[in-house]
Amino acid sequence: MSQSGNLSLTGKIDNGISRILCQILNTLKTLLLWLTGLMIVVLLPFAIFEYGEGLADMSLLEWAFVVLSGLLVWRHVHYCQHFSTGFWKGASRLLVSLGILTVVELVVIGLCEIFLWQSEYEELPKQYLLEDDPLVKLATYATLLIALYLAAPTGLRSTATKDEQQDEKPSLSPDEADSATSDTFKEPTL
């Protein structure tokens, strides 16, 4: 079976509508993750200073979280400068990473609650999630620290597509291609 590269008019319209809808959904997904990360950044001080007593309000876990998050934000800024990411792209990476891991954490908490409500331990989610449980705080802060760690850029982004990269490589003759690809093993010639 051979496929032709040309679509009919209705195929082109259908393909165009599909591309537009996928782009809209992708933009909406990124925007919602960005807003979720921004919400976490804005609400985090209220979670740490929940009683309004200043630094005396912070527990040892919260002190450790603040110090580690400060170091991870410094690491993020350093890598953004090193890889020339730029302020807005670096901030977007940070907020999207926070948003993704927050959504994952909420899904895991929701699945655990559904599982526990179906079992005989019906009161367990209320006991741990509604009260100030250190284990839940530890899991939340650990998730946020992982998000900060993963948000840092790891390398320069290549803007060239695969086709452009292949076009840039010089074409080799068959003998040169064999010698370039097979340095360690050469078949004996007769």
Side-chain angles (χ1 to χ4, degrees), residues 5-172:
N6 298 332
L7 288 173
S8 65
L9 180 61
T10 56
K12 288 180 182 179
I13 292 172
D14 180 48
N15 194 6
I17 290 172
S18 177
R19 282 186 185 185
I20 290 171
L21 289 176
C22 286
Q23 187 67 33
I24 289 171
L25 288 176
N26 190 28
T27 303
L28 185 64
K29 174 195 71 167
T30 304
L31 179 67
L32 289 175
L33 288 173
W34 199 86
L35 288 174
T36 303
L38 184 63
M39 179 186 68
I40 293 299
V41 169
V42 169
L43 294 178
L44 194 57
F46 294 108
I48 293 174
F49 301 108
E50 57 198 344
Y51 301 114
E53 296 179 13
L55 294 178
D57 186 25
M58 293 176 63
S59 68
L60 186 59
L61 177 66
E62 291 166 336
W63 274 106
F65 170 73
V66 168
V67 169
L68 288 173
S69 63
L71 290 173
L72 288 172
V73 167
W74 174 82
R75 175 185 174 269
H76 179 77
V77 169
H78 175 72
Y79 282 149
C80 284
Q81 289 174 348
H82 178 74
F83 293 119
S84 302
T85 303
F87 176 76
W88 290 110
K89 192 165 272 266
S92 178
R93 285 181 62 97
L94 186 67
L95 293 176
V96 167
S97 178
L98 283 171
I100 289 171
L101 283 179
T102 300
V103 168
V104 167
E105 182 182 19
L106 291 174
V107 167
V108 168
I109 288 172
L111 290 174
C112 289
E113 283 190 18
I114 289 171
F115 174 73
L116 290 173
W117 280 333
Q118 299 296 326
S119 69
E120 60 191 48
Y121 304 107
E122 209 171 295
E123 296 297 317
L124 199 59
K126 293 178 187 173
Q127 178 183 355
Y128 282 106
L129 294 176
L130 297 179
E131 294 178 6
D132 193 24
D133 184 39
L135 189 60
V136 173
K137 267 190 172 182
L138 179 65
T140 301
Y141 290 152
T143 303
L144 292 175
L145 289 174
I146 290 170
L148 288 173
Y149 182 77
L150 295 176
T154 56
L156 295 173
R157 286 200 127 195
S158 173
T159 56
T161 63
K162 290 181 182 178
D163 294 333
E164 292 172 352
Q165 290 173 354
Q166 289 176 353
D167 291 341
E168 291 174 2
K169 292 181 183 177
S171 61
L172 301 174

